[in-house]
Amino acid sequence: MIRLTIDGQTVTVPEGTMIVDAAEKLGIEVPIYCYHQALGPLGACRMCLVQVEKMPKLVTGCTTPVAEGMVVHTKGPAVEKGRRGILEFLLINHPLDCPVCDKGGECHLQDYTFRYGPPAGRFAEAKLERLKDAPVSELILIDQERCVLCQRCVRFLGEYVGEPQLMLKGRGVETVVAPVDDRPVDSRFSGNIIDLCPVGALTSAAYRFKARPWNQERHPSVCPHCPVGCPVTVTAREEHVVRVEGRPIPEHDWGWLCDRGRFGYDFAVAPSRLLSARVAGRVVPEVAAVRHLANLVRTVREQHGAAAIGVVVGGQHSAEDAFYLRHFAESVLGEGVRLAVSQTVKGYLPLALNGTYDDIGVADAVVLLGSDPYRAAPVLYLKLRERWRRDPQLVRWGVGVRPLSRPTLPLRELRVGPQEMAATVAWGLFSQRPDDEGLRLLTESLEGWQPRDPEGARALAATLLDSQHLVLLWDGKEPWMEAVLGVLTRLRGEKGTRVLPTFGPPNLRGFEWAGIPARWGALEDLLQATVRGEVRLLWVLGADLLREIPDYALAAQALERVEHAVFEGLFPPEGSERFELWLPGAGWSEEPGTWANLEGRLRSVAEAVPPPGEARPVKSLLTALARALRQPWTPPEWNPYLGAEGGLLPREGEPTAPARLPRPEPTAGDLYVWGEPEVFVGGYPSENLRPRRPSLLGEIHPVDAAAWGIGEDGGELGIERFGRRWTVTVRPSAAAAPGMLILPLGAAEAPVNQIGEGPASVIPRVEVERR
Amino acid sequence: MFKTVKALAKGLGTTLRALTEPRDTIAYPEKRREYAPRFRGKHMLARDEDGHELCVGCGLCEAVCPANAIRVVAAEAEPGKNISWTDRYSVDYEVDLIRCIFCGMCEEACPTNAVRLTPFNELAAYSRLDMIADKEELLHPPVRK
C-alpha cells in the first residue's frame, strides 16, 4: 500500500493505482476522456493533467502510477491553465452543433468546457469538415467532427472484446475513427461504444433525436433478455422506452451490455403485441374476459376440484408476480392447484452449487459444459474474457458437441457426442478416482463405453479435481449432469466449485424464490396430467410453451387434450388457436418487480412506462379475478429481499443423488439436429435488431455443406425427422462439428424443439428443388 | 334643504369636472395601447430567409421553462426534405399559454433564435385546449392590430 497526498488529503491505495483513481477514492474529480478502468491507461486525451510536486511539468493523472510520499495538486493556476489549453485544442475542430447533438446535456466535453474551459477560442480559421451522422452499423452512427480521439471505442472493441472493428485512420490533424476495411461494426458488444464515447461522436441510431436528458426519466432496471440479468438504466420519455444503457455497479459490474439488451427494448411496441383480451379470437372487453376466466375456474372447480387447474408461469413476470400467483392459487383457487415454471431445457441446478460473477474474478479454471456464453449469455462471455486477459494462466476448457473456442477466448477443446457430456465427465472423473462410490454408481451403466477422446476426458477430470477455484458454465441439456456436478463438488471438498447455469427463462430463480416448483419434473408432471385428462384448465402466464419447452410433443398433446387453455402474456403464443382466452399482460418495465438472474441475485426492475392498451399487471388481474369469483383476496405483502443476504438468494438445495447415467447410444442418420440458445434469434421481436438476426439460421460443418450441396453463401437444406420434412436455411460454419446441424432455439422458421433434437436424414437437394 | 342642494351640487361638480379631465381608460378594442418595444406576448417560431424553420427541436426552451409550459418532440427529416435548416427539426412544439408566465427565458435560451415572444397578447379562448398553441399556430403568428 502506498500513501500519497492529493490536494492536502492523504490517501492509501494499492501499488500500481493511477493518480486519477486515487483521487476518485477521495472524491476529487479529475476530468478524463480516454481513461477507463476496464480498458487501462492510455494518456491520449491529456485532459487529466495534474501537478505533482518535484516533477518539472504537468503529468497525466491516468498514466502516472502513485508513488510513496507523492504530493499531487489537482487544482491551482498551473493545472487550470493546462486544462484550459487542452480544451481549447480539443475544441478547434469541434463543431458547435450541441443543439442537434444527441449527447447534448450529458456530454463530457460540454461539462468540462463549462467547468474548466476557456471563455472563447482563439482560432479564427474554419473548422475541418468530416463525416457526419454516418452509420458504422445499422445501430450506431459516427460523427467524426465531434470526436476527441480518446480511442475508448477503438480500444474497447479491439482489446477488451477482441473484435477490432474500429481504428484510427490518418495522421495528425487528419486522424479520424473509422470502421476497419469499411465493414460495418457488427460485434454483438458494439453498443457499448455509445456509452463509452465521452462526446457525441458515436450515437445510437434508435435513440436519435428521441429525447434529451432533461425531458426523460431514467430508471434503474435489469435487462430481461437472457439469464445474465445485466443491470441497465431504462430511459423513458412520454410513456415510451426510448433507450437502454448499461448501469455500472462499482466493484461488481462494468455496465457492459450486449446489443440484444441495449437495442431490443422495442418489443414493447411491436405490432404483434397483444393489446386487448380475446375470447376464441374475438376481441372482448377486459371485464368480460376476466368474467369468462372466472366462469371457467368455477365450472372446472365444481366438476373436478381445484386439482384440475394447472398454472404455468414464465416470460417477463417478476418474482412478485409469481408470488401473487402462488398465493392466489393456494388461497382462492383452492388446494391442489398444480404450478410449474416454463423451461427451455430439462436440466436444473440447485442453488447450493450456484456461483456468482465474482467467482469468475478469482477462478483459476473455467470449464464450459456445453454452454456457449458468447451466444447464450454474451456479457458473461465478456466477463470470462476479462478474467483471461487479467490472468493468462487461467485454465480454460470447452466441452461440447461442437467447438466452443473462439479467437477471442481460446479454449482447450474436448469434443463429446450428443447426450454424452455427463457420461464423458463422469467417466473421466472415475478414471481419476476409481475408489469413489458415487462415481462408481454413476458410471455403472457405462461399462465398456469410452468417450470420443479418452485422453482429453482424463485431462479434463484432472483439471476438474485439481484446480483451486473452479467455475463451470452449464447449458442444462442433460438433466443427469446435476448428479455429476454434485459428486464433483463433494470430491473437491473445500476447494471452490461454482456452477453458472446459462439456461432457463431469465427470471427462473425469481419464480423459484416465489415458491413455484422450478424443476423440469414439475412442468412435465403438469403436462402429463393434462394429457391424462386430470388437468382441465391450463393457465399459461407469459410462457410460450410450444416454442420454448424441449418436449414439444408433450406440450402439443397437452394443449390438444386440455378442455380450456388460457393465455396471459405479451404476444400471442405459438399455437395460439388452442387457447380459448387470451389476456394481454404487462411486461418488463411496465410494472415494478424483482428479478433474479443466473447468479441467484435479486435486482429490482422499475416501472418506467404504463402498460399499453388493456394490458395489466398480474396483481391487478388476480384482484379482478378474485372479485369475479366473489372470493376475497388481497395481494399479500412480500419483500423478496427478506432472507436474501445482500440480494443473493440463499444457497440451498441438494443436487440429486447419484444414479446410473443413461448409456450414450450411438447415433445414426445424416445430421444430428442440435438446438442452442442464441440471444439474437430467440426471444421477443425487435425491429431495431432485425439486421442483426442471421438470415441463415442453421450451421453445418463446411465438409457436410459440400457433401449436401450447400455453397459458401449457404442455402436451404431439407431434412426429415420422425417422418416430417423440414426446410431450414443453413450456412457452412467452422463453429459446427461434422455431422451436426446447429439450430438456434426459439426461431419460428426452424423450430428446433418441434423438429426434435436427434438424428435426421437429409433430403437430397434435387428432391428438395423438385418439391 | 340648502344643505341637500349643496351636497348635490358638489357631487355633480365632481362629475362634471371629471368629464373634462383626460381619460385613464381607452376604448378597447377600437383603440389599443402602445406597448414597450420588447413587450413579451404570445410565442412564435421563426423561419430563415429560405423558409426553413429555425427550430431544431433541441429542447433547451423546454429545459429552461420555469413553468413547464413547453413540450418539444424532435425528429429526423427525410433525406433531402429538410424542414428546418438542418436534418433535425421539431415535429411537435407546444406552448401551454395558460401555464406560461411570459418570462421570455425560452427566447433567451434558444440557440437558433427560433422561438420569439411577439407583442400579441390577446389570448382569450373558450376552452383550455385552445390555449395550447401548437406548432402550426406558432409558425403563423397573429399580427396585433
Side-chain angles (χ1 to χ4, degrees), chain A residues 358-417:
Chain A
D358 297 341
D359 289 312
I360 296 175
V362 292
D364 66 339
V366 172
V367 178
L368 311 184
L369 296 175
S371 280
D372 185 358
Y374 187 82
R375 290 184 180 174
V379 174
L380 187 52
Y381 181 82
L382 269 194
K383 291 178 196 284
L384 292 178
R385 180 170 150 83
E386 180 180 357
R387 176 66 194 149
W388 173 55
R389 262 163 55 81
R390 286 240 173 112
D391 176 15
Q393 303 300 315
L394 180 75
V395 181
R396 310 169 309 278
W397 276 89
V399 188
V401 295
R402 63 177 187 88
L404 298 172
S405 199
R406 274 165 213 284
T408 51
L409 184 64
L411 309 165
R412 184 160 171 197
E413 293 280 354
L414 174 63
R415 198 68 50 77
V416 299

Coordinates of all heavy atoms in Angstrom, one line a residue, chain A residues 358-417:
Chain A
D358 N -18.7 -12.9 -9.2 CA -17.5 -12.6 -8.5 C -16.6 -13.8 -8.5 O -15.4 -13.7 -8.4 CB -17.8 -12.2 -7.1 CG -18.6 -10.9 -7.0 OD1 -18.6 -10.2 -8.1 OD2 -19.2 -10.6 -6.0
D359 N -17.2 -15.0 -8.6 CA -16.3 -16.3 -8.7 C -15.4 -16.3 -9.9 O -14.3 -16.8 -9.8 CB -17.2 -17.5 -8.7 CG -17.9 -17.7 -7.3 OD1 -17.2 -17.6 -6.3 OD2 -19.1 -17.9 -7.3
I360 N -15.9 -15.7 -11.0 CA -15.1 -15.7 -12.2 C -13.8 -14.9 -11.9 O -12.8 -15.2 -12.4 CB -15.9 -15.0 -13.4 CG1 -17.1 -15.9 -13.7 CG2 -15.0 -14.9 -14.6 CD1 -18.0 -15.4 -14.7
G361 N -14.0 -13.8 -11.1 CA -12.8 -12.9 -10.9 C -11.7 -13.6 -10.1 O -10.6 -13.2 -10.1
V362 N -12.0 -14.7 -9.4 CA -11.0 -15.4 -8.6 C -10.7 -16.8 -9.2 O -9.9 -17.5 -8.6 CB -11.4 -15.5 -7.1 CG1 -11.4 -14.2 -6.5 CG2 -12.7 -16.2 -7.0
A363 N -11.4 -17.2 -10.3 CA -11.3 -18.5 -10.8 C -9.9 -18.8 -11.3 O -9.2 -17.9 -11.8 CB -12.3 -18.8 -11.9
D364 N -9.4 -20.0 -11.2 CA -8.2 -20.4 -11.9 C -8.5 -21.4 -13.0 O -7.6 -21.8 -13.7 CB -7.1 -20.9 -10.9 CG -7.5 -22.2 -10.3 OD1 -8.7 -22.5 -10.2 OD2 -6.6 -22.9 -9.8
A365 N -9.7 -21.9 -13.0 CA -10.1 -22.8 -14.1 C -11.5 -22.5 -14.5 O -12.4 -22.3 -13.6 CB -9.9 -24.2 -13.7
V366 N -11.8 -22.4 -15.8 CA -13.2 -22.2 -16.2 C -13.5 -23.4 -17.2 O -12.7 -23.6 -18.1 CB -13.3 -20.9 -16.9 CG1 -14.7 -20.8 -17.6 CG2 -13.1 -19.8 -16.0
V367 N -14.6 -24.0 -17.0 CA -15.0 -25.1 -17.9 C -16.4 -24.9 -18.4 O -17.3 -24.7 -17.7 CB -14.9 -26.5 -17.1 CG1 -15.4 -27.6 -18.0 CG2 -13.5 -26.8 -16.6
L368 N -16.5 -24.8 -19.7 CA -17.8 -24.7 -20.3 C -18.4 -26.0 -20.6 O -17.8 -26.8 -21.4 CB -17.7 -23.9 -21.7 CG -16.9 -22.6 -21.7 CD1 -17.0 -21.9 -23.0 CD2 -17.4 -21.6 -20.6
L369 N -19.4 -26.4 -19.9 CA -20.1 -27.7 -20.2 C -21.2 -27.4 -21.2 O -22.4 -27.3 -20.8 CB -20.6 -28.2 -18.8 CG -19.5 -28.6 -17.8 CD1 -20.2 -29.0 -16.5 CD2 -18.6 -29.6 -18.3
G370 N -20.8 -27.4 -22.4 CA -21.9 -27.3 -23.5 C -22.3 -25.9 -23.7 O -22.8 -25.5 -24.8
S371 N -22.1 -25.0 -22.7 CA -22.6 -23.6 -22.9 C -21.7 -22.8 -23.9 O -20.5 -22.9 -23.8 CB -22.4 -22.9 -21.6 OG -23.4 -23.2 -20.7
D372 N -22.3 -22.1 -24.7 CA -21.5 -21.1 -25.5 C -22.0 -19.7 -25.0 O -22.9 -19.2 -25.5 CB -21.9 -21.3 -27.0 CG -21.0 -20.4 -27.8 OD1 -20.2 -19.6 -27.2 OD2 -21.1 -20.5 -29.1
P373 N -21.3 -19.2 -24.0 CA -21.8 -17.9 -23.4 C -21.8 -16.8 -24.5 O -22.6 -15.9 -24.3 CB -20.8 -17.7 -22.3 CG -19.6 -18.5 -22.6 CD -20.1 -19.7 -23.3
Y374 N -20.9 -16.9 -25.5 CA -20.9 -15.8 -26.5 C -22.3 -15.7 -27.1 O -22.8 -14.6 -27.4 CB -19.9 -16.2 -27.6 CG -19.7 -15.1 -28.6 CD1 -18.8 -14.0 -28.3 CD2 -20.3 -15.1 -29.8 CE1 -18.6 -13.0 -29.2 CE2 -20.1 -14.1 -30.8 CZ -19.3 -13.1 -30.5 OH -19.0 -12.1 -31.4
R375 N -23.0 -16.8 -27.3 CA -24.3 -16.8 -27.9 C -25.4 -16.7 -26.9 O -26.4 -16.1 -27.1 CB -24.5 -18.0 -28.8 CG -23.6 -18.0 -30.0 CD -23.9 -19.1 -30.9 NE -23.1 -19.1 -32.1 CZ -23.0 -20.0 -32.9 NH1 -23.7 -21.1 -32.8 NH2 -22.2 -19.9 -34.0
A376 N -25.3 -17.5 -25.8 CA -26.4 -17.6 -24.9 C -26.4 -16.5 -23.8 O -27.5 -16.1 -23.4 CB -26.3 -19.0 -24.2
A377 N -25.2 -16.0 -23.5 CA -25.1 -15.1 -22.4 C -23.9 -14.2 -22.6 O -22.9 -14.3 -22.0 CB -24.9 -15.8 -21.0
P378 N -24.1 -13.3 -23.6 CA -22.9 -12.5 -24.1 C -22.1 -11.8 -23.1 O -20.9 -11.8 -23.2 CB -23.5 -11.6 -25.1 CG -24.8 -12.2 -25.6 CD -25.3 -12.9 -24.4
V379 N -22.7 -11.2 -22.1 CA -22.0 -10.4 -21.2 C -21.2 -11.3 -20.3 O -20.1 -10.9 -19.8 CB -22.9 -9.4 -20.4 CG1 -22.1 -8.7 -19.4 CG2 -23.4 -8.4 -21.4
L380 N -21.7 -12.5 -20.0 CA -20.9 -13.5 -19.2 C -19.6 -13.8 -20.0 O -18.6 -14.0 -19.4 CB -21.8 -14.7 -19.0 CG -21.3 -15.8 -18.1 CD1 -20.9 -15.2 -16.8 CD2 -22.4 -16.8 -17.9
Y381 N -19.7 -13.9 -21.3 CA -18.6 -14.2 -22.1 C -17.5 -13.1 -21.9 O -16.3 -13.3 -21.8 CB -19.0 -14.2 -23.6 CG -17.8 -14.5 -24.5 CD1 -17.4 -15.8 -24.7 CD2 -17.2 -13.5 -25.2 CE1 -16.3 -16.1 -25.6 CE2 -16.1 -13.8 -26.1 CZ -15.7 -15.1 -26.2 OH -14.7 -15.4 -27.1
L382 N -18.0 -11.8 -21.9 CA -17.0 -10.7 -21.7 C -16.3 -10.8 -20.3 O -15.2 -10.5 -20.2 CB -17.8 -9.4 -21.7 CG -17.9 -8.7 -23.1 CD1 -18.3 -7.2 -22.8 CD2 -16.6 -8.7 -23.8
K383 N -17.1 -11.3 -19.3 CA -16.5 -11.4 -18.0 C -15.4 -12.5 -18.0 O -14.4 -12.3 -17.4 CB -17.6 -11.8 -17.0 CG -18.6 -10.7 -16.7 CD -19.7 -11.1 -15.7 CE -20.9 -10.2 -15.7 NZ -20.7 -8.9 -15.0
L384 N -15.7 -13.6 -18.8 CA -14.7 -14.7 -18.8 C -13.5 -14.1 -19.6 O -12.3 -14.4 -19.2 CB -15.3 -15.8 -19.6 CG -16.4 -16.6 -18.9 CD1 -16.9 -17.7 -19.8 CD2 -15.9 -17.2 -17.6
R385 N -13.7 -13.4 -20.6 CA -12.6 -12.9 -21.4 C -11.7 -11.9 -20.6 O -10.5 -11.9 -20.6 CB -13.0 -12.2 -22.7 CG -11.9 -11.7 -23.5 CD -12.3 -11.3 -24.9 NE -11.4 -10.2 -25.3 CZ -10.2 -10.3 -25.9 NH1 -9.8 -11.6 -26.1 NH2 -9.5 -9.3 -26.2
E386 N -12.4 -11.1 -19.8 CA -11.7 -10.1 -19.0 C -10.8 -10.9 -18.0 O -9.7 -10.5 -17.7 CB -12.7 -9.2 -18.2 CG -11.9 -8.2 -17.4 CD -12.8 -7.3 -16.6 OE1 -14.0 -7.3 -16.8 OE2 -12.2 -6.5 -15.8
R387 N -11.4 -12.0 -17.4 CA -10.6 -12.8 -16.4 C -9.4 -13.4 -17.1 O -8.3 -13.3 -16.5 CB -11.5 -13.9 -15.9 CG -10.9 -14.9 -15.0 CD -10.4 -14.2 -13.7 NE -9.5 -15.0 -12.9 CZ -8.6 -14.5 -12.1 NH1 -8.4 -13.3 -12.0 NH2 -7.8 -15.3 -11.5
W388 N -9.6 -13.8 -18.3 CA -8.4 -14.4 -19.0 C -7.4 -13.4 -19.4 O -6.2 -13.6 -19.3 CB -8.9 -15.1 -20.3 CG -7.8 -15.6 -21.2 CD1 -6.8 -16.5 -20.8 CD2 -7.6 -15.3 -22.6 NE1 -6.0 -16.7 -21.9 CE2 -6.5 -16.0 -23.0 CE3 -8.3 -14.5 -23.5 CZ2 -6.0 -15.9 -24.3 CZ3 -7.8 -14.4 -24.8 CH2 -6.6 -15.1 -25.1
R389 N -7.8 -12.2 -19.7 CA -6.9 -11.1 -20.0 C -6.1 -10.7 -18.8 O -4.9 -10.4 -18.8 CB -7.7 -9.9 -20.5 CG -7.6 -9.8 -22.1 CD -8.7 -8.9 -22.6 NE -8.6 -7.5 -22.0 CZ -7.8 -6.6 -22.5 NH1 -7.0 -6.8 -23.4 NH2 -7.9 -5.4 -21.9
R390 N -6.8 -10.7 -17.6 CA -6.1 -10.4 -16.4 C -5.1 -11.5 -16.0 O -4.0 -11.3 -15.5 CB -7.1 -10.3 -15.2 CG -7.9 -9.0 -15.4 CD -7.7 -8.2 -14.1 NE -8.3 -6.9 -14.3 CZ -9.4 -6.5 -13.7 NH1 -9.9 -7.3 -12.8 NH2 -9.9 -5.3 -14.0
D391 N -5.5 -12.8 -16.2 CA -4.7 -13.9 -15.8 C -4.6 -14.9 -17.0 O -5.4 -15.8 -17.1 CB -5.4 -14.6 -14.6 CG -4.7 -15.9 -14.2 OD1 -3.5 -16.0 -14.6 OD2 -5.3 -16.7 -13.5
P392 N -3.6 -14.7 -17.8 CA -3.4 -15.6 -18.9 C -3.2 -17.0 -18.6 O -3.3 -17.9 -19.4 CB -2.2 -15.0 -19.6 CG -2.0 -13.7 -19.1 CD -2.5 -13.7 -17.7
Q393 N -2.9 -17.3 -17.3 CA -2.7 -18.7 -16.8 C -4.0 -19.4 -16.6 O -4.0 -20.6 -16.3 CB -1.9 -18.7 -15.5 CG -0.6 -18.0 -15.6 CD 0.4 -18.6 -16.6 OE1 0.5 -19.8 -16.7 NE2 1.0 -17.8 -17.4
L394 N -5.1 -18.7 -16.7 CA -6.4 -19.3 -16.5 C -6.6 -20.5 -17.3 O -6.4 -20.5 -18.5 CB -7.5 -18.3 -16.8 CG -9.0 -18.7 -16.6 CD1 -9.3 -18.7 -15.1 CD2 -9.9 -17.8 -17.4
V395 N -7.0 -21.6 -16.7 CA -7.2 -22.9 -17.4 C -8.6 -22.8 -18.0 O -9.5 -22.5 -17.3 CB -7.0 -24.1 -16.4 CG1 -7.3 -25.4 -17.2 CG2 -5.7 -24.1 -15.8
R396 N -8.7 -23.1 -19.3 CA -10.0 -22.9 -20.0 C -10.3 -24.2 -20.8 O -9.5 -24.6 -21.6 CB -10.0 -21.7 -20.9 CG -9.4 -20.5 -20.3 CD -9.1 -19.3 -21.3 NE -8.3 -19.7 -22.4 CZ -7.0 -19.8 -22.3 NH1 -6.4 -19.5 -21.3 NH2 -6.3 -20.2 -23.4
W397 N -11.5 -24.7 -20.5 CA -11.9 -25.9 -21.2 C -13.2 -25.6 -21.9 O -14.1 -25.0 -21.3 CB -12.1 -27.1 -20.2 CG -10.8 -27.8 -19.9 CD1 -9.9 -27.5 -18.9 CD2 -10.3 -29.0 -20.6 NE1 -8.9 -28.4 -18.9 CE2 -9.1 -29.3 -19.9 CE3 -10.7 -29.7 -21.7 CZ2 -8.4 -30.4 -20.3 CZ3 -10.0 -30.8 -22.0 CH2 -8.8 -31.2 -21.4
G398 N -13.4 -26.2 -23.1 CA -14.7 -26.2 -23.7 C -15.1 -27.6 -24.0 O -14.5 -28.3 -24.8
V399 N -16.2 -28.0 -23.3 CA -16.7 -29.4 -23.5 C -18.0 -29.3 -24.3 O -18.9 -28.7 -23.8 CB -16.9 -30.1 -22.2 CG1 -17.2 -31.6 -22.4 CG2 -15.7 -29.9 -21.3
G400 N -18.0 -29.8 -25.5 CA -19.3 -29.6 -26.2 C -19.3 -30.5 -27.4 O -18.3 -31.1 -27.8
V401 N -20.5 -30.5 -28.0 CA -20.7 -31.3 -29.3 C -20.0 -30.6 -30.4 O -19.9 -31.2 -31.5 CB -22.2 -31.5 -29.6 CG1 -22.8 -32.4 -28.5 CG2 -22.9 -30.2 -29.7
R402 N -19.7 -29.4 -30.2 CA -19.1 -28.6 -31.3 C -18.0 -27.7 -30.7 O -18.0 -27.5 -29.5 CB -20.1 -27.8 -32.0 CG -20.7 -26.7 -31.1 CD -21.7 -25.9 -31.9 NE -22.2 -24.8 -31.0 CZ -21.6 -23.6 -30.9 NH1 -20.5 -23.4 -31.6 NH2 -22.1 -22.7 -30.2
P403 N -17.1 -27.1 -31.5 CA -16.1 -26.3 -30.9 C -16.7 -25.1 -30.3 O -17.5 -24.4 -30.8 CB -15.2 -25.9 -32.1 CG -15.7 -26.6 -33.3 CD -17.0 -27.3 -33.0
L404 N -16.3 -24.8 -29.0 CA -16.8 -23.6 -28.3 C -15.7 -22.5 -28.3 O -16.0 -21.4 -27.8 CB -17.2 -24.0 -26.9 CG -18.3 -25.1 -26.8 CD1 -18.5 -25.5 -25.4 CD2 -19.6 -24.5 -27.3
S405 N -14.6 -22.9 -28.8 CA -13.4 -21.9 -28.7 C -13.6 -20.8 -29.7 O -14.2 -21.0 -30.8 CB -12.2 -22.7 -29.1 OG -11.1 -22.0 -28.7
R406 N -13.2 -19.6 -29.4 CA -13.2 -18.5 -30.3 C -11.8 -17.8 -30.2 O -11.2 -17.9 -29.2 CB -14.2 -17.5 -29.9 CG -15.6 -17.7 -30.4 CD -16.6 -16.9 -29.6 NE -17.8 -17.7 -29.6 CZ -18.6 -17.9 -30.6 NH1 -18.3 -17.3 -31.7 NH2 -19.6 -18.7 -30.5
P407 N -11.4 -17.1 -31.3 CA -10.1 -16.4 -31.2 C -10.0 -15.5 -30.0 O -9.0 -15.3 -29.5 CB -10.0 -15.7 -32.5 CG -11.0 -16.3 -33.4 CD -12.1 -17.0 -32.6
T408 N -11.2 -15.0 -29.6 CA -11.1 -14.0 -28.5 C -11.1 -14.7 -27.1 O -10.9 -14.0 -26.1 CB -12.4 -13.1 -28.6 OG1 -13.5 -13.9 -28.7 CG2 -12.3 -12.2 -29.7
L409 N -11.4 -16.0 -27.1 CA -11.2 -16.7 -25.8 C -10.9 -18.2 -26.2 O -11.8 -19.0 -26.3 CB -12.5 -16.7 -25.0 CG -12.5 -17.3 -23.6 CD1 -11.4 -16.6 -22.7 CD2 -13.8 -17.3 -23.0
P410 N -9.6 -18.4 -26.5 CA -9.3 -19.8 -26.9 C -9.5 -20.8 -25.8 O -9.2 -20.4 -24.6 CB -7.8 -19.7 -27.4 CG -7.4 -18.3 -27.1 CD -8.5 -17.6 -26.5
L411 N -10.0 -22.0 -26.1 CA -10.2 -23.0 -25.1 C -9.5 -24.2 -25.4 O -9.3 -24.5 -26.6 CB -11.7 -23.2 -24.9 CG -12.7 -22.1 -24.8 CD1 -14.1 -22.6 -25.1 CD2 -12.6 -21.5 -23.4
R412 N -9.3 -25.1 -24.5 CA -8.9 -26.4 -24.8 C -10.1 -27.2 -25.0 O -11.0 -27.2 -24.2 CB -8.1 -27.0 -23.6 CG -7.6 -28.4 -23.9 CD -6.4 -28.8 -23.0 NE -6.2 -30.2 -23.3 CZ -5.5 -31.0 -22.5 NH1 -5.0 -30.5 -21.4 NH2 -5.3 -32.2 -22.8
E413 N -10.2 -27.8 -26.2 CA -11.5 -28.4 -26.6 C -11.6 -29.9 -26.2 O -10.6 -30.6 -26.2 CB -11.6 -28.4 -28.1 CG -11.7 -27.0 -28.7 CD -13.2 -26.5 -28.6 OE1 -14.0 -27.2 -28.1 OE2 -13.3 -25.3 -28.9
L414 N -12.7 -30.3 -25.7 CA -13.0 -31.7 -25.6 C -14.3 -32.0 -26.3 O -15.4 -31.5 -25.9 CB -13.1 -32.1 -24.1 CG -13.5 -33.5 -23.8 CD1 -12.5 -34.5 -24.3 CD2 -13.7 -33.8 -22.3
R415 N -14.2 -32.7 -27.4 CA -15.4 -33.0 -28.2 C -16.2 -34.2 -27.6 O -15.6 -35.2 -27.3 CB -15.0 -33.2 -29.6 CG -16.1 -33.1 -30.6 CD -16.6 -31.6 -30.7 NE -15.5 -30.7 -30.9 CZ -14.9 -30.5 -32.1 NH1 -15.2 -31.2 -33.1 NH2 -13.9 -29.7 -32.2
V416 N -17.4 -34.0 -27.3 CA -18.3 -35.1 -26.9 C -19.4 -35.3 -27.9 O -19.7 -34.4 -28.7 CB -18.9 -34.9 -25.5 CG1 -17.8 -34.8 -24.5 CG2 -19.8 -33.7 -25.5
G417 N -20.0 -36.5 -27.9 CA -21.1 -36.7 -28.7 C -22.4 -36.1 -28.1 O -22.4 -35.8 -26.9

